[in-house]
Amino acid sequence: MKILVANLGSTSFKYRLFDMETEEQLARGGIDRIGEDADSNCDVEIGTHSSEQQQRISDHAAAVQMCLDQLTDPEFGCLESVDEVTAIGFKAVFAGKLSGIRLVNDKLLEAMENLADVAPAHNPPYVRAMRQLQASFPNIPLVAALETAFHETIPAKYRTYAIPSEWTEKYEVRRWGFHGASHRYIGTRMAQLLDNDDAKIISCHLGGSSSVCAMRGGESQSTSMGMTPQSGLPQNNRVGDFDPFALRLVKRLTGKDYDELLDELSSQGGLLGISGVSNDCRDIEEAAANGNGKAQLAIDVYAADIKRYAGQYLAVLNGADAIVFTGGIGENSDVIRTKVCEEMTYAGIVLHAEKNQQRGGERLISADESKVQIWTVPTNEELVVARQTAELVEC
Ligand code: AMP
């Protein structure tokens, strides 16, 4: 069975094709600047073949068509026909109580549309692209693996906000949690690496968006993102946790309305907001190294918040077997890892200074005397979505 996994942005489409008998990745590709007044960069890697080309791509359906053309190319393709694609799986973000793994249908699309205001960067491009694909490829089942599904195991005491109960019960305002595919992958992989199916893991997914998750036995117990992906840790350009009552003050002082302020918090906040430099951790680290105080503050705030969540989750789990760093920042930034793990000896957490400098791949980076293992593990969200999609279409 071959499963195509789609990762969508508002103007981008990345894909991977898996053979589910072996879980081998057969192909990967990416197309950006979709629908813009400029050529898209279209990259593809199929086996040993890789190529790049520039071409105008009008919408996501055209992007998928291009991907299918690449996969079936007589010269370098890995499929004889499009019919070999059993289903397309999506790492979809938020559909409220329509969580889990489900076929894309009108009910799901409506639910995602209705929640576009709380997941403005994520839901609209998915809904648009899914509708286009339904129309253009009616014979290929589309499957949504909702990011919130993994966190359904979080006990009520860790997912309930202290708000009027009507908000929780009627309007589903609760900590839903996100990055489910990534944390699930880390949970499964760490059980293998530690040879322990009941391991207590603190998973730090640190990238363009970031969250920390406490897991036991591969199940989510608590996570830093709440009702929306704008919460929890500071994100690259989104706010993270924040006191909503401060908005009243800023509204009065700026004359802006709540929607404008929320848009600002979800596009001009986070690491970008504090540093004033960039939303990319590499630029911020470079600026801090060159003496930029605000960039240094952004790094300090971000690392301190990750550490605070790690401390909470040591309490939630009654200790941990491992702390895992994944995502673009988690895997690559020794600076952030050092700051998160410093002065954690009370909990038996000690980094190995040299191993922490190395980059790439699965690595144990804790010191020999560390009671809690510290790892970097590249996540594989697409494989998780491919597995879930295969399971759904097989039933
Ligand atoms: P992701 O969303 O997981 O692909 O992560 C993307 C982010 O990883 C980028 O925005 C960068 O901030 C960060 N990143 C990538 N490489 C490095 C690096 N060498 N050092 C620090 N941050 C990095």
Side-chain angles (χ1 to χ4, degrees), residues 14 179 205-210 236 271 278-285 302 326-336 359 379 381:
K14 289 188 205 148
H179 289 148
H205 177 112
L206 311 177
S209 85
S210 302
N236 60 348
L271 296 176
S278 165
N279 61 9
D280 191 306
C281 195
R282 286 164 289 201
D283 301 336
I284 299 171
E285 283 184 13
Y302 181 60
T326 191
I329 299 173
E331 288 162 40
N332 293 303
S333 174
D334 55 292
V335 172
I336 297 292
R359 211 173 268 171
T379 195
E381 297 167 283

Side-chain angles (χ1 to χ4, degrees), residues 114-154:
N114 287 338
L115 289 164
D117 50 358
V118 288
H122 302 93
N123 275 13
Y126 271 87
V127 171
R128 216 171 25 247
M130 284 168 168
R131 284 201 195 282
Q132 284 171 2
L133 299 188
Q134 272 185 325
S136 305
F137 305 102
N139 298 327
I140 308 181
L142 307 182
V143 174
L146 276 307
E147 289 277 28
T148 48
F150 181 62
H151 301 294
E152 290 295 309
T153 49
I154 294 180

Side-chain angles (χ1 to χ4, degrees), residues 248-264:
R248 266 201 189 140
L249 174 77
V250 185
K251 178 174 180 281
R252 176 162 53 79
L253 296 177
T254 62
K256 294 179 182 173
D257 66 24
Y258 283 129
D259 275 336
E260 282 176 279
L261 295 177
L262 289 173
D263 285 347
E264 235 170 86

